[in-house]
Amino acid sequence: MTPEPPRPAPPDEAALEPVELIRRSGAVLRTGRLALSAGTGSYRVKEHMSRVGRALGLERVAAHVTLTEITATSYRGPIFRTELTEVRSVGINADRLSELERFAVTLPREADLPAVEAELDRIAHKPLLYGTALNALWAGVACAAFAFLNNGGPVECGAVLMAAALGQSVRRTMLHRGVNQFGVTMLSAAVASMAYLALVLALSDLAGVSRNHEAGYVSAVLFLVPGFALVTGALDLARLDFSAGVARLTYALVLLASAALAVWGFSAVAGLAPDPVPPPGIDPALLLALRTLASFLGVLGFALMFNSPWTMAVGAAATGAVANVGRLVLVDADVFPQAAAAAAALLVGLLAAGVAPALRVPRITVSVPAVVIMVPGVTAYRAVYEFNTGTTAQALGYAVEAGLVIVALAIGLAVARMLTDREWTFER
C-alpha cells in the first residue's frame, strides 16, 4: 500500500491577520465609544473617530452612530475592518468630552499607537470631579434657580434645593449600581416630590409658614429633564443624521414621560396641581438683577452636575445668564415664547463660538448647559398632568408649546453653528 503523502501544515492564522489594522481600528472605535458614553452628539463622535483614524494612518473611517451603538469600518489600502460596539449606560460627562476634544485636536499627523492607547486608558479611568454629595448639591442649586425663574418665592426655592438634592443623590447612587434608568427616573421624581411636600408641611407646622406653596413642587424634579439629549438629538437631525437624532429624542421623551408620570401619580395622591404661579410683585430693576443671578446659578448648577470643570461651568453660566435674561425680557414684552427661545439660543451659539475656544473646551459643553435652562420642563410636566386628568385640550396646548420651544432652541443653535462653523455650512 502506498503511504499517504504528508498533509501540508495548517497556515499560521495569526500571521494572516492584519494585526496593526486591528489595533488601530480598535483605538478608533474606543475613541468613539468614550465620546458616545459621555453624551455628545453623533456628529462629534464621528469627527473624533476620523481625526484619530487619520493620525493612526488609516485612509478613511466610516461610522454609523446611534444612541447606544457604533458600527465603524476602517480602511487601509486594499483591506478594511468593520467592528461594532455598544454603550449601555447613557449619561453626561462634560469633563470627558473636553479631554477627548483636546486629545483628538492635538494628535500629531503620525501618532504613536501605544501612546494613543495609553491616553485613552487615562481618559477612560479618570474619576468624576465631584462626589455624590456635591453632585446632588449642584442639582439642588440648579432646580432652586429654576423655581425662582418660575415665579417661586423663598420658601419654594429653599424646599426645592433640598428636595432636588435628595432626588439627585438617589438617582446617581442607583445609576452607578446599574439599576434600570427609567425606573430610577420614576423613583427619583417620586422622592423629590415627596421631600418637597414634606418640607413645606414641616415649615408650615414649625414656623407658621403658609401651606400654599405646593405649585413649586414641579421645579424639584427639573434635574430629571433630559435637556442635553433633547438638544443634541435635535442637532443630529439638523445634520441629517436621523438614526441618531430620532433615537436620542425618543430616549429623551421616554425619560421625560417616566418622570412626569411619577410626578402625576404623586400629585393625584396628594391632591396637588401644577398650576402656573403669578409673577412676584418685585421692583423691575431688582427682578432683572435676581433673574440674572438665578439664570447664572441655574446654568452653573447644571454644568457642574454634568461633571464640568469650574472654568467650563462658569463660562457656560455667564453665556446662559446673558441669553436667558434676554429671553425673559422678550417674553415679558409679549414676544412668542418660541421666537424668544430661538433668539436666545442663537445668541448662546454665537457667544459660545468665542467663549469655548478661549477656554479651550468643546463648544457643546458651553452651549448645551446654557440652553438647558431654557428647556420648558415645567410646561412639559403640566402637559402630562393634564393628559392624565383628562383635560385633553389644555394638555395639547402645553405639549405644543413645549415642543415648539424645544424646536426653536435647536434651530437657534443650528443657525449659530452654520454661521460660525464651515463644516455645518457646507455638507461633505
Side-chain angles (χ1 to χ4, degrees):
M1 178 182 279
T2 307
E4 255 185 55
R7 294 183 181 180
D12 184 359
E13 295 184 2
L16 298 177
E17 291 287 344
V19 177
E20 282 303 305
L21 176 62
I22 292 173
R23 287 188 62 191
R24 296 178 189 191
S25 174
V28 169
L29 190 66
R30 190 180 181 196
T31 302
R33 190 177 191 279
L34 287 174
L36 187 63
S37 66
T40 193
S42 68
Y43 63 93
R44 184 65 65 185
V45 174
K46 294 175 183 178
E47 183 178 330
H48 289 337
M49 294 174 70
S50 294
R51 284 178 174 174
V52 174
R54 287 194 299 269
L56 292 176
L58 299 177
E59 294 175 3
R60 184 164 66 93
V61 175
H64 176 72
V65 181
T66 67
L67 175 66
T68 58
E69 294 179 346
I70 303 174
T71 304
T73 302
S74 300
Y75 295 86
R76 188 183 183 193
I79 59 175
F80 63 89
R81 179 175 175 82
T82 300
E83 293 180 275
L84 171 69
T85 189
E86 188 177 23
V87 176
R88 298 308 305 168
S89 58
V90 180
I92 311 298
N93 189 336
D95 183 51
R96 176 176 290 181
L97 293 180
S98 180
E99 292 274 13
L100 287 169
E101 177 86 5
R102 192 176 300 113
F103 162 69
V105 169
T106 58
L107 271 178
R109 181 167 297 180
E110 296 182 1
D112 180 57
L113 181 56
V116 168
E117 292 173 331
E119 183 63 11
L120 290 176
D121 284 337
R122 184 191 68 81
I123 294 173
H125 295 101
K126 184 177 181 180
L128 296 173
L129 299 177
Y130 314 107
T132 300
L134 271 179
N135 181 263
L137 176 62
W138 307 144
V141 169
C143 289
F146 250 123
F148 177 81
L149 294 173
N150 289 319
N151 301 323
V155 174
E156 286 92 338
C157 292
V160 163
L161 190 153
M162 291 184 280
L166 179 60
Q168 173 63 10
S169 65
V170 171
R171 177 195 188 197
R172 174 159 160 159
T173 299
M174 298 189 73
L175 285 178
H176 284 191
R177 293 180 178 177
V179 182
N180 180 275
Q181 192 164 147
F182 299 114
V184 169
T185 299
M186 297 183 74
L187 178 62
S188 302
V191 168
S193 298
M194 288 188 288
Y196 177 84
L197 184 60
L199 287 166
V200 169
L201 294 178
L203 285 172
S204 66
D205 291 338
L206 299 177
V209 174
S210 169
R211 295 191 178 197
N212 191 26
H213 298 285
E214 291 91 341
Y217 79 95
V218 175
S219 298
V221 297
L222 290 182
F223 66 94
L224 295 170
V225 173
F228 215 102
L230 286 170
V231 174
T232 54
L235 290 176
D236 281 337
L237 291 180
R239 295 278 293 180
L240 301 181
D241 195 340
F242 291 99
S243 59
V246 171
R248 201 174 294 272
L249 290 178
T250 302
Y251 160 77
L253 291 175
V254 174
L255 206 64
L256 186 64
S258 299
L261 287 172
V263 172
W264 167 78
F266 174 75
S267 303
V269 172
L272 304 177
D275 298 323
V277 182
I282 302 177
D283 177 75
L286 177 60
L287 179 61
L288 180 64
L290 291 175
R291 280 178 167 178
T292 303
L293 177 61
S295 298
F296 182 89
L297 292 176
V299 178
L300 181 70
F302 276 121
L304 293 173
M305 191 180 81
F306 295 150
N307 200 48
S308 298
W310 271 92
T311 304
M312 182 193 298
V314 171
T319 301
V322 172
N324 192 53
V325 170
R327 179 184 69 88
L328 294 174
V329 169
L330 290 176
V331 171
D332 288 344
D334 294 328
V335 175
F336 287 116
Q338 56 268 32
L346 176 63
L347 179 58
V348 165
L350 295 176
L351 291 175
V355 172
L359 298 177
R360 297 182 179 180
V361 299
R363 191 185 305 189
I364 192 173
T365 60
V366 173
S367 60
V368 174
V371 165
V372 164
I373 198 171
M374 306 177 198
V375 173
V378 171
T379 306
Y381 282 129
R382 286 176 183 150
V384 175
Y385 175 86
E386 298 295 347
F387 270 123
N388 282 288
T389 57
T391 316
T392 307
Q394 188 77 1
L396 287 175
Y398 283 134
V400 170
E401 180 183 342
L404 289 177
V405 170
I406 292 171
V407 170
L409 292 174
I411 290 174
L413 286 180
V415 170
R417 290 301 293 258
M418 293 175 193
L419 293 174
T420 58
D421 190 337
R422 184 177 178 84
E423 291 186 5
W424 278 69
T425 308
F426 300 99
E427 296 291 340
R428 292 187 292 175

